[in-house]
Amino acid sequence: IVGERLILNYLRDAHSAIVVRDLGGGFVRELPLPGLGSAGGLVGNPDGDRAYYSFSSFTEPSQTLATSV
């Protein structure tokens, strides 16, 4: 839970998808990722509005990204 939102990491068609939902489960948005690859390590403060996560793929080295929820 980050900023009173659920940040969910799914595996869709063999690559990661990160979806933001409200606490009732309603869809808010899907986070754009730099490409097809693996995302994980989602962290953030429940009282804040920033979420941090890692992303890597066969062509991209691991990087840490941030987003506002």
Side-chain angles (χ1 to χ4, degrees), residues 41-53:
L42 289 156
V43 295
N45 188 336
D47 298 325
D49 71 340
R50 301 287 291 169
Y52 301 90
Y53 58 97

Side-chain angles (χ1 to χ4, degrees), residues 6-62:
L6 299 172
I7 313 297
L8 307 170
N9 186 5
Y10 292 101
L11 185 62
R12 181 184 302 147
D13 297 328
H15 63 85
S16 290
I18 299 177
V19 175
V20 180
R21 295 189 177 268
D22 62 29
L23 293 179
F27 180 83
V28 175
R29 69 183 175 117
E30 186 168 333
L31 297 181
L33 296 176
L36 300 178
S38 297
L42 289 156
V43 295
N45 188 336
D47 298 325
D49 71 340
R50 301 287 291 169
Y52 301 90
Y53 58 97
S54 65
F55 176 83
S56 65
S57 72
F58 288 112
T59 59
E60 296 286 331
S62 183

